[in-house]
Amino acid sequence: MTTTAEQAAAAICAEHGDDRTRLLDILLAVQRRHGRLDDGIIDALAARLGIPRVDVAGVVSFYSFLGDEPRGRIVIRLCNDVPDLMVGADKVAEGLEEELGIRFGETTPDGRFTLEWASCIGMSDQAPAALFNDVVVPNLGPGAARRLVRELKLHPEVADLRRLIVREYGDGKNSHDLVRAAVKNNIRRPGEVILADMAHGAGLRKALAMSPAEVIREVKTARLRGRGGAGFPTGMKWEFTRAGDAGQRYLVCNADEGEPGTFKDRVVLTERPDLLFEGMTIAGYAIGASRGLLYLRGEYAYLREYLEHVLSERRGQGLLGEGVCGKAGFDFDIRIQLGAGAYVCGEESALISSCEGLRGDPKNRPPFPAQRGYLGRPTSVNNVETLCCVPRILEMGSGWFASLGSRKSTGTKLLSVSGDCTRRGVYEVPLGTRLRAVLEMCGADEPVAVQVGGPSGQMVGPADFEREICFDDLATGGALVVFGAGRDPLAIASQYLAFFIHESCGYCTPCRVGNVLLKERLDRIRAGRGEAADLDYLQTLGQTVKAASRCGLGQTSPNPVLSTLRSFRSAYEALLVTPAGGAQPGFDLEGRLAEAKALTGRGSVHFGS
Amino acid sequence: MAKPRVATASLCGCFGCHMSLLDIDDRILQLVELVDFDRCPIDDIKEITGPVDIGLIEGGCCNEENVKVLQEFRRHCKVLVSVGDCAINGGVPALRNLVPLRECYEEAYLRGPSVDNPSGRIPDDEEIPLLLDRVVPCHEVVRIDHFLPGCPPSADTLWAALTALLAGRAPELPYELVKYD
């Protein structure tokens, strides 16, 4: 006997061609309809798709936007990233809890509201921010949060949540009919490459007039390097992919902007989608791919309709589809793959797993995606910003691009600036710009520390402010979080470790266990129970986790500790104690005996208390 | 010149490591030539009598008495060695860390199948040391200088480590002595 929910789930499978590689889309659709993915539905999906039930259940348990617990019709996800906590996200949380009478992680008894924490949702420039289902609510103070919830309680119908919640649209395309978001772009400094005024299409036309090898050569001459953080030369990646097996190849754009404090892709997707799609098309041409995927993080689902619309316009204009721009033999189209709230999916091999309808587990390398990527075919995964540089390089010439920035780091970089400064937002600056110059631009008043590149980057102090933002000095995927007087770098490092512990996929031990041990020891030091040897322990363990982890998450997760050990060593040293008689200061005998004293009703004989 | 002094203790362990020490067979004759024993379950000296060169600790800490003994060893021993997996990791006794302390007490004193306790209370007798809320490895309680892994470390491992320490070297155990599969 199947329930109607199970029948509907089967129908959703059919809509997706019963294709198990579309499992993530199927689950998102079923969850949207039923609010939960319970055992019956999981069984039905597994039977229908002809895969073991554990493959379905594993995906459900992996992604934070999916779950087998019943969730409310409105799921409120409050961002608990550092910039949000700095401006009182905890107070907002209290307000929401009191107003709804539930704690975080719970659902109201009437099944209307669920409260959850979210890692960075890409709104650090307008924190505190929350998602109400797909709808972004930026600048959410405690008072406003209470008012909003009180109002929503009066409207049992949630069909058009956006209309109920959004009072004022943001600037630019945020007010587009298909976006209608309260999000602000906060473009503070447009640069020459991506946020400049431009005419679209010239780059693509030029590219199609060249051979793919010539396009790759042009990108190599421009010395374009990947903007996601690692800085791998883009032309080389394309060459490897092109050298892969003949037949279907794939171009994947990584728009899973999950690095806490990063939001520049949000602005690019809102204001420069044509530039991005043009870049993807050129990349597809260069590597010989006819299919492109845009992996859009689940937090940016509010942009999906609009992006689909831009894609369909481009199809109408002959810029996508068969024979792009009338070029016989070059077919290219793009599908949007929505993510479901998992930071690790920003790692390219995990992202590919996710596109294939699997848990977002990283894959072993080799083989590299260029050899065997999406569905086992040669795949190039490129960052949004990287792909946006491509049409501009073709249009303006590699010499022009290489003349921007520094010798080894050409072009401009989009920076997402948030934290303790007056002008939070997106800055496009030439690579090689000194950190101090950016701090002056954004109105940071005597900052004590800056997190460059998000938690996986490094935290630097004033001694490093003269360093340059570029691949070979202060490398960054784009996040700059500024910390002013009174902020505690060690507390921030601890919060970032909590983030990594939450987001670790758990596959390899160094990352799953090591990050927990790092946080324990760091917190022990912060509590005034650390000794000098603990600093060596943190250093050694941090290096082990970096060296032994399987993917980029664990290879960078100790950075909050390692970089504060380097930049803020005196802050650590000030907290250390010197124990007497070889005792470990971290051992809390009183605390360890308290429960036994309560249970036996007597004090300690050996320690006389 | 006086011989180096060695002391040993078994905290929350099974004495298996001490049995392994006895397994050095006839080398035990060399050992008594090389060292004098201070506190040790084998000679039944109950308290450390003076400065000790090498202290060997078997077992982790599960109660206040273990902590007391371990601290005493740390104070008196120039070099302190964690011997075996319980001292290093908590070992089998640390399985109880998965069980709330109240349930441990209740199973031992109230509900266990062989328990006869008409009072129905968890005993408050001072002879029974208070349990720590979890079993902890020795190096979390005091500074430990060397670690000898194994359950138990083999007699050869113990012998190699002891002779190295007596020669003033840090024990460097070959792969064969620390692999277990």
Side-chain angles (χ1 to χ4, degrees):
Chain A
M1 206 35 219
T2 53
T3 64
T4 49
E6 288 159 20
Q7 283 162 4
I12 289 172
C13 286
E15 282 166 31
H16 290 83
D18 289 324
D19 180 355
R20 68 93 62 230
T21 70
R22 301 292 303 277
L23 183 58
L24 190 53
D25 293 316
I26 293 169
L27 292 171
L28 282 166
V30 177
Q31 166 118 1
R32 203 171 306 128
R33 195 169 303 178
H34 300 294
R36 67 185 291 198
L37 297 160
D38 56 26
D39 282 350
I41 287 178
I42 289 175
D43 284 334
L45 291 174
R48 172 88 197 190
L49 296 172
I51 54 178
R53 103 178 280 285
V54 67
D55 286 2
V56 182
V59 173
V60 172
S61 70
F62 186 86
Y63 295 93
S64 53
F65 286 11
L66 304 175
D68 54 4
E69 294 293 316
R71 277 179 160 114
R73 288 196 295 281
I74 299 178
V75 180
I76 302 172
R77 294 190 173 89
L78 180 63
C79 179
N80 66 356
D81 188 22
V82 166
D84 298 76
L85 295 172
M86 284 163 72
V87 291
D90 47 342
K91 291 276 177 298
V92 181
E94 275 172 33
L96 289 169
E97 286 185 334
E98 281 177 24
E99 205 61 51
L100 291 169
I102 53 171
R103 311 295 306 257
F104 271 71
E106 295 177 356
T107 299
T108 52
D110 61 4
R112 292 194 56 202
F113 295 91
T114 296
L115 278 181
E116 287 180 0
W117 287 109
S119 301
C120 182
I121 61 170
M123 301 288 157
S124 307
D125 54 337
Q126 36 215 309
L131 289 170
F132 284 58
N133 292 349
D134 288 352
V135 183
V136 182
V137 187
N139 294 313
L140 184 64
R146 284 171 182 273
R147 278 195 301 279
L148 183 55
V149 167
R150 273 202 293 270
E151 215 160 304
L152 288 174
K153 281 198 215 166
L154 302 175
H155 294 84
E157 192 49 55
V158 296
D160 193 356
L161 202 53
R162 216 180 294 203
R163 204 168 46 78
L164 282 177
I165 293 177
V166 181
R167 293 295 139 76
E168 199 179 327
Y169 300 142
D171 51 337
K173 289 290 194 291
N174 287 303
S175 64
H176 189 281
D177 253 4
L178 296 172
V179 182
R180 293 186 295 140
V183 180
K184 290 199 171 58
N185 284 327
N186 289 330
I187 298 173
R188 304 291 179 179
R189 185 189 193 277
E192 294 85 344
V193 180
I194 292 172
L195 298 174
D197 290 324
M198 65 186 81
H200 289 303
L204 179 57
R205 282 193 299 276
K206 271 196 176 172
L208 295 182
M210 300 157 75
S211 74
E214 284 167 343
V215 172
I216 293 178
R217 193 179 315 134
E218 190 71 6
V219 170
K220 284 174 96 171
T221 314
R223 298 195 296 280
L224 175 63
R225 295 170 67 173
R227 264 48 181 164
F232 192 81
T234 307
M236 204 187 288
K237 188 183 269 189
W238 289 359
E239 215 162 50
F240 291 152
T241 314
R242 192 168 178 81
D245 289 350
Q248 186 58 271
R249 304 191 188 108
Y250 293 96
L251 183 277
V252 177
C253 172
N254 183 347
D256 190 48
E257 180 174 56
E259 188 67 39
T262 317
F263 47 83
K264 45 108 186 163
D265 289 349
R266 178 197 85 213
V267 175
V268 173
L269 291 162
T270 310
E271 297 301 327
R272 294 288 182 272
D274 274 299
L275 183 66
L276 171 63
F277 294 141
E278 195 177 330
M280 289 178 70
T281 312
I282 296 171
Y285 178 68
I287 64 172
S290 64
R291 301 277 301 280
L293 283 168
L294 173 67
Y295 189 92
L296 183 67
R297 66 185 309 224
E299 290 82 349
Y300 292 168
Y302 76 100
L303 291 170
R304 183 182 186 163
E305 270 185 83
Y306 167 65
L307 293 170
E308 294 282 11
H309 163 75
V310 175
L311 285 175
S312 93
E313 275 192 341
R314 292 184 71 83
R315 284 182 199 112
Q317 294 159 3
L319 299 170
L320 285 175
E322 282 180 24
V324 175
C325 288
K327 173 103 179 169
F330 176 48
D331 308 336
F332 189 75
D333 210 332
I334 295 170
R335 172 169 82 77
I336 295 177
Q337 170 68 58
L338 203 61
Y343 167 75
V344 73
C345 288
E347 196 278 335
E348 65 173 4
S349 68
L351 184 145
I352 289 171
S353 298
S354 184
C355 289
E356 292 169 338
L358 306 170
R359 291 163 55 88
D361 289 326
K363 296 175 195 268
N364 283 334
R365 276 155 295 193
F368 290 90
Q371 303 160 283
R372 282 208 290 283
Y374 178 60
L375 304 179
R377 305 297 309 165
T379 303
S380 177
V381 182
N382 297 106
N383 181 265
V384 168
E385 191 183 341
T386 315
L387 289 164
C388 283
C389 293
V390 171
R392 302 288 285 158
I393 290 171
L394 272 296
E395 177 194 354
M396 306 292 286
S398 53
W400 167 81
F401 188 83
S403 74
L404 303 167
S406 63
R407 223 201 83 72
K408 283 186 161 175
S409 301
T410 55
T412 58
K413 184 79 196 76
L414 294 175
L415 300 175
S416 317
V417 181
S418 63
D420 293 321
C421 59
T422 53
R423 291 183 294 279
R424 300 176 194 96
V426 174
Y427 294 73
E428 182 178 2
V429 299
L431 279 161
T433 301
R434 287 184 197 283
L435 178 55
R436 186 180 299 285
V438 178
L439 293 174
E440 279 165 13
M441 277 182 236
C442 72
D445 186 25
E446 298 194 7
V448 297
V450 182
Q451 184 73 32
V452 181
S456 74
Q458 40 187 326
M459 190 181 290
V460 299
D464 288 317
F465 288 175
E466 293 305 327
R467 290 173 63 188
E468 294 177 0
I469 294 169
C470 64
F471 294 109
D472 304 301
D473 191 3
L474 281 179
T476 170
L480 283 188
V481 186
V482 182
F483 301 105
R487 303 289 183 192
D488 174 4
L490 274 52
I492 295 158
S494 177
Q495 285 170 345
Y496 281 145
L497 279 176
F499 165 77
F500 284 124
I501 289 167
H502 180 256
E503 296 294 341
S504 169
C505 84
Y507 185 100
C508 71
T509 312
C511 173
R512 183 184 64 247
V513 176
N515 290 320
V516 175
L517 295 177
L518 282 171
K519 183 166 189 299
E520 270 179 10
R521 196 58 62 101
L522 171 61
D523 288 343
R524 185 191 287 180
I525 294 170
R526 291 178 55 225
R529 293 191 287 112
E531 58 174 330
D534 289 330
L535 301 191
D536 301 331
Y537 171 90
L538 286 177
Q539 185 77 33
T540 311
L541 177 61
Q543 281 161 351
T544 304
V545 172
K546 277 175 90 83
S549 288
R550 186 162 174 253
C551 84
L553 195 156
Q555 286 158 14
T556 55
S557 60
N559 286 353
V561 167
L562 295 176
S563 67
T564 47
L565 273 174
R566 190 184 64 80
S567 300
F568 299 95
R569 199 166 186 91
S570 57
Y572 280 93
E573 286 165 349
L575 293 168
L576 300 179
V577 292
T578 311
Q584 298 286 29
F587 181 66
D588 173 17
L589 179 65
E590 280 302 303
R592 290 263 170 259
L593 286 177
E595 203 180 343
K597 285 181 187 172
L599 289 167
T600 59
R602 70 170 181 86
S604 166
V605 179
H606 293 276
F607 295 95
S609 61
Chain B
M1 202 174 86
K3 288 194 277 187
R5 295 184 69 78
V6 172
T8 76
S10 179
L11 306 180
C12 191
C14 70
F15 274 91
C17 296
H18 276 82
M19 297 306 290
S20 195
L21 181 62
L22 294 178
D23 257 354
I24 59 176
D25 299 332
D26 57 335
R27 285 172 291 191
I28 206 156
L29 299 174
Q30 292 178 56
L31 188 60
V32 292
E33 291 298 316
L34 284 170
V35 304
D36 282 332
F37 276 90
D38 199 299
R39 171 179 170 155
C40 175
I42 297 163
D43 60 22
D44 213 22
I45 299 175
K46 303 291 190 200
E47 301 279 338
I48 287 185
T49 58
V52 170
D53 295 281
I54 300 170
L56 304 179
I57 298 290
E58 169 189 346
C61 291
C62 78
N63 63 32
E64 54 175 338
E65 188 190 16
N66 296 154
V67 173
K68 185 85 177 171
V69 172
L70 184 58
Q71 289 176 343
E72 184 198 356
F73 265 69
R74 181 68 274 180
R75 269 197 303 278
H76 289 99
C77 299
K78 272 190 222 143
V79 172
L80 193 58
V81 186
S82 271
V83 178
D85 288 350
C86 296
I88 295 173
N89 294 321
V92 171
L95 282 175
R96 78 131 152 111
N97 291 353
L98 303 170
V99 181
L101 191 63
R102 171 184 289 278
E103 287 179 32
C104 292
Y105 268 113
E106 287 176 351
E107 186 67 17
Y109 295 117
L110 306 181
R111 286 205 310 258
S114 61
V115 169
D116 175 29
N117 179 0
S119 81
R121 287 198 309 269
I122 296 168
D124 60 359
D125 193 317
E126 295 190 343
E127 287 296 310
I128 305 172
L130 292 175
L131 293 181
L132 304 182
D133 60 353
R134 52 189 291 129
V135 178
V136 294
C138 293
H139 61 267
E140 287 192 10
V141 178
V142 300
R143 185 170 50 75
I144 298 287
D145 303 298
H146 299 288
F147 300 87
L148 299 182
C151 185
S154 68
D156 288 344
T157 306
L158 288 166
W159 180 252
L162 260 179
T163 47
L165 289 170
L166 288 169
R169 290 180 278 115
E172 280 178 29
L173 301 173
Y175 177 68
E176 298 73 44
L177 292 183
V178 289
K179 82 168 177 66
Y180 303 99
D181 54 353

